[in-house]
Amino acid sequence: GGKTLYLTNRGQKIFYEEYPLAILRKQKWDGNWVIVSYDFPETLKTQRDYLRRKLVSLGFGCPQKSLLICPLPLHRGVEELIEGEHMLEYAWILRAERVLGLENREVAKRAWDLDKLNNLYRKLLEVLPRIKSSKDRKLKSEWEKLFLAVDLADPYLPVELLPEDWAGEKCQREFYRRDFLAFLKGFFSS
């Protein structure tokens, strides 16, 4: 609802304990992919779908069917998940510097459809000046909802994997600028 939350050092510590992926995303990429490949028989479709949903929720992308990848060092956690769910016979975990014989940016582009996401960020930036100068509450609300939806879909990949013309960072900077947050706060409180 337009509120801003500022965390103390203690609050940040608690946040990172609850959401460990957030701290991993802040670290410099080590250049290795975690790759999970699986081959479940049709009789275990439920387990296959569960594993896929769980990995996608952790930030894995899918460049090919039955192959999920992630730049975060999650191999130990994924291994524990696969062991705990008794899926060792059907799923394999690998670490590699390259995937599919492609450049890393191309792999990321295929796994997360970064071109589409980049275009959405560009469109948000393109209309932002009009949104800021508009008095139309509905229009401003729709822009904010669209930004938050696009931002939620962003896998927040390391810079090395993003397209060179990545508009996401600029769009996020514009959205999180104090003056724009104040503008939204005033907009939602009036």
Side-chain angles (χ1 to χ4, degrees):
K3 297 193 188 244
T4 304
L5 180 66
Y6 296 98
L7 296 176
T8 63
N9 287 341
R10 183 173 176 262
Q12 286 181 9
K13 182 180 180 218
I14 292 168
F15 173 78
Y16 289 127
E17 285 172 1
E18 286 291 316
Y19 302 99
L21 288 180
I23 201 155
L24 286 176
R25 292 186 188 284
K26 289 179 70 175
Q27 296 173 356
K28 183 168 172 31
W29 185 43
D30 68 2
N32 290 302
W33 295 97
V34 174
I35 305 162
V36 177
S37 178
Y38 56 85
D39 186 16
F40 287 85
E42 273 306 305
T43 55
L44 297 177
K45 183 180 185 291
T46 304
Q47 289 89 333
R48 177 191 65 211
D49 293 345
Y50 167 78
L51 178 63
R52 183 181 180 79
R53 274 192 318 275
K54 186 70 171 173
L55 293 176
V56 168
S57 76
L58 291 172
F60 278 75
C62 186
Q64 285 188 346
K65 189 175 181 179
S66 300
L67 183 72
L68 290 137
I69 63 169
C70 183
L72 300 175
L74 300 174
H75 50 284
R76 287 190 182 93
V78 171
E79 184 177 13
E80 289 173 13
L81 170 70
I82 290 172
E83 282 180 17
E85 295 294 328
H86 309 290
M87 298 176 176
L88 286 172
E89 186 177 340
Y90 311 106
W92 302 270
I93 305 163
L94 308 158
R95 284 184 44 91
E97 290 180 13
R98 302 270 310 267
V99 179
L100 306 173
L102 300 171
E103 292 298 320
N104 286 328
R105 276 195 167 121
E106 184 61 30
V107 173
K109 183 176 158 183
R110 288 184 184 196
W112 287 278
D113 200 0
L114 295 179
D115 286 342
K116 182 178 179 181
L117 193 57
N118 204 18
N119 285 334
L120 290 171
Y121 274 129
R122 278 195 202 109
K123 287 178 184 176
L124 284 167
L125 283 169
E126 187 179 302
V127 299
L128 185 58
R130 196 175 88 220
I131 299 300
K132 283 183 173 181
S133 64
S134 175
K135 302 225 185 275
D136 183 346
R137 291 176 180 265
K138 185 178 178 185
L139 184 64
K140 291 176 181 181
S141 177
E142 290 303 314
W143 188 93
E144 182 188 42
K145 287 178 189 171
L146 183 56
F147 168 80
L148 292 172
V150 172
D151 192 57
L152 185 62
D154 190 335
Y156 284 93
L157 297 173
V159 175
E160 300 92 340
L161 300 175
L162 296 172
E164 291 189 22
D165 63 341
W166 185 243
E169 187 177 338
K170 184 175 182 189
C171 192
Q172 290 156 1
R173 268 196 320 266
E174 285 295 321
F175 181 78
Y176 290 113
R177 279 182 40 201
R178 287 190 187 276
D179 63 329
F180 190 59
L181 287 172
F183 155 77
L184 286 174
K185 183 179 180 182
F187 167 72
F188 282 105
S189 63
S190 53

